[in-house]
Amino acid sequence: MKKLITFLAATAFFLSGLFAFPGFNSFIEDKSGEFVYYRDNSFSRESYIGILSYGSSAFQIRYYAPASQNLPEKIVATFFTIDPDANHFEMTGENVVFADYSNSEDIDIVNYMHDLLYEFSSRREKLIDITPDTEGYIKNVSLSENGLKVPSNMLQFGGDITFVYDVIIPFFNIKRIDDAKGNAVFECVEIGLVSSGDDPLFDTFVKIPDSGKIKINSLKPKKSKALKASLNNQSITLDQSWSQKMENMWTQQDDAIITLASLNAAAPSDDYVNYSLIRMFLESKDGYYITLDNCDIVFDTAQIRIYSKSYIAESSKVYYGIKYLTQNSSNKYDYLSFASTNSNYLLKRSYYDKLLKSYKN
């Protein structure tokens, strides 16, 4: 629970070191230390491509395939530098750190990753600016539906494809590439932020494990006297099983935690604030792995609800989280965060959902 509290506190702050790839403007500037992982279905085995930034000119691109019954784990990675002042993507240096040059497959993967970088850069440069107000951009619907669809052709993915761009996704804003039948051939599964050069988060890509079969709502909490938790204009009705740990934080032993806060987020537009906050809350960080397969966003008038699962490899625990962001005035947001172990949430889902329905602001 202490690690969970630390994680929740850390997400309330933006980090410095902002930049954009050469040749186009990013609606949300990228941060030093941000990364993305894509599931690449063009390979015959389960495969992922990750990109990590060390600033505006230094990056790593990494191929990762987990071990299977017949194949060992495979990693191919290369560090590269670019000219941040150029008007197009231009690689200025490279250091291949994981690859077997006697293995033609490894050489092919390095060349393939080069092709992706140049292809993605070239296509993104032609679009120049992508914002939620760009013609054709679907916004404020859901995580899977939001974005700009751009039909194209790319031999690496079988010919006719459709790029789906989303400003939430760092670097090239590519959320997904669909084939002619609408199936994802290349799909963002994780965005994240490493805290330092020693942070192993990028190098240890982890899929959130299945919690197994759980009988939903099989635990019925005992009825107890109502306890009103409040902060400024926000309130939520809890019960005596909850304890106040800080002015804005309540815990139910080690089972669940609720935090209330007010966020000041001065920015050029409401959309910028909304999507910057969404990106921040969906990023893996501080030992927490969040995969986008297990996330969703609901937009409801002035309120945004973010649902996610996160995994702590250190404790092998899966957490379920819900965040409410409600704009109460220009650039000011009321914020509620709920988190519980996933199994505990499912066992008492109707109980927790009822608590969250009592939230008022």
Side-chain angles (χ1 to χ4, degrees):
M1 184 60 71
K2 288 182 180 178
K3 193 170 181 65
L4 180 61
I5 292 172
T6 301
F7 170 73
L8 292 171
T11 57
F13 301 96
F14 289 102
L15 298 183
S16 59
L18 304 179
F19 69 93
F21 264 88
F24 59 88
N25 297 317
S26 294
F27 182 67
I28 303 171
E29 289 182 296
D30 302 314
K31 301 186 192 82
S32 176
E34 276 188 316
F35 66 85
V36 295
Y37 261 106
Y38 292 92
R39 182 189 299 113
D40 191 336
N41 293 323
S42 67
F43 288 84
S44 59
R45 64 182 294 186
E46 182 181 2
S47 298
Y48 300 89
I49 301 288
I51 304 172
L52 167 68
S53 76
Y54 299 97
S56 61
S57 60
F59 299 83
Q60 180 188 163
I61 185 167
R62 182 175 188 262
Y63 169 86
Y64 171 68
S68 64
Q69 288 183 333
N70 302 318
L71 297 168
E73 177 185 73
K74 189 173 189 63
I75 297 172
V76 177
T78 177
F79 293 95
F80 65 93
T81 56
I82 63 172
D83 180 356
D85 299 319
N87 60 6
H88 62 280
F89 182 86
E90 182 179 340
M91 196 179 292
T92 56
E94 182 176 28
N95 180 20
V96 178
V97 289
F98 284 105
D100 180 359
Y101 278 105
S102 66
N103 186 328
S104 61
E105 183 184 27
D106 284 20
I107 296 172
D108 288 343
I109 290 173
V110 171
N111 291 332
Y112 172 74
M113 293 193 295
H114 286 171
D115 290 344
L116 290 185
L117 290 170
Y118 280 101
E119 285 280 355
F120 290 168
S121 298
S122 174
R123 292 164 191 270
R124 184 62 183 81
E125 287 165 18
K126 291 175 183 177
L127 296 171
I128 308 177
D129 296 345
I130 296 177
T131 78
D133 290 327
T134 298
E135 183 178 357
Y137 193 105
I138 298 172
K139 68 176 184 177
N140 300 348
V141 178
S142 68
L143 182 60
S144 61
E145 294 300 319
N146 283 355
L148 177 68
K149 294 184 177 181
V150 179
S152 189
N153 188 284
M154 195 167 172
L155 292 177
Q156 290 92 331
F157 297 115
D160 291 336
I161 54 165
T162 298
F163 279 85
V164 182
Y165 294 94
D166 190 324
V167 297
I168 293 172
I169 310 302
F171 307 142
F172 305 112
N173 302 138
I174 297 171
K175 179 166 66 178
R176 193 173 67 249
I177 300 175
D178 293 336
D179 64 15
K181 295 181 179 180
N183 300 313
V185 291
F186 195 79
E187 182 175 20
C188 186
V189 293
E190 184 182 9
I191 60 177
L193 181 67
V194 297
S195 59
S196 70
D198 297 325
D199 189 338
L201 197 67
F202 177 75
D203 295 325
T204 52
F205 176 75
V206 173
K207 292 194 299 180
I208 294 180
D210 189 352
S211 297
K213 292 183 178 180
I214 297 174
K215 192 173 182 181
I216 297 173
N217 292 327
S218 59
L219 284 181
K220 304 297 181 183
K222 294 179 181 179
K223 291 185 178 180
S224 66
K225 188 182 297 185
L227 168 69
K228 188 174 182 179
S230 61
L231 179 75
N232 300 328
N233 62 309
Q234 302 176 75
S235 67
I236 184 169
T237 303
L238 307 177
D239 57 44
Q240 296 297 315
S241 67
W242 291 79
S243 301
Q244 186 169 5
K245 297 299 182 182
M246 297 172 61
E247 180 187 7
N248 66 331
M249 184 180 293
W250 295 260
T251 63
Q252 190 181 49
Q253 298 179 349
D254 287 334
D255 290 340
I257 179 172
I258 284 177
T259 305
L260 300 177
S262 296
L263 303 180
N264 294 320
S269 68
D270 290 345
D271 278 340
Y272 182 91
V273 176
N274 290 345
Y275 288 101
S276 296
L277 288 172
I278 290 169
R279 177 189 287 192
M280 182 176 70
F281 287 129
L282 292 182
E283 285 184 326
S284 299
K285 58 173 72 72
D286 299 319
Y288 273 70
Y289 296 84
I290 299 173
T291 53
L292 299 187
D293 290 344
N294 296 286
C295 299
D296 201 7
I297 306 167
V298 174
F299 294 83
D300 185 7
T301 315
Q303 187 177 82
I304 300 170
R305 297 191 289 275
I306 303 170
Y307 302 88
S308 63
K309 281 184 186 177
S310 56
Y311 176 67
I312 307 178
E314 184 179 273
S315 63
S316 299
K317 286 187 177 180
V318 178
Y319 285 90
Y320 182 72
I322 300 173
K323 295 176 176 62
Y324 292 173
L325 288 165
T326 311
Q327 187 170 12
N328 58 33
S329 64
S330 179
N331 297 327
K332 292 186 182 294
Y333 286 73
D334 292 330
Y335 169 66
L336 174 144
S337 174
F338 164 85
S340 168
T341 58
N342 188 58
S343 57
N344 178 66
Y345 171 75
L346 293 175
L347 289 171
K348 299 185 286 188
R349 189 171 70 177
S350 61
Y351 164 77
Y352 288 124
D353 289 351
K354 184 178 180 180
L355 292 185
L356 292 170
K357 283 181 181 178
S358 73
Y359 173 65
K360 294 178 180 172
N361 61 334

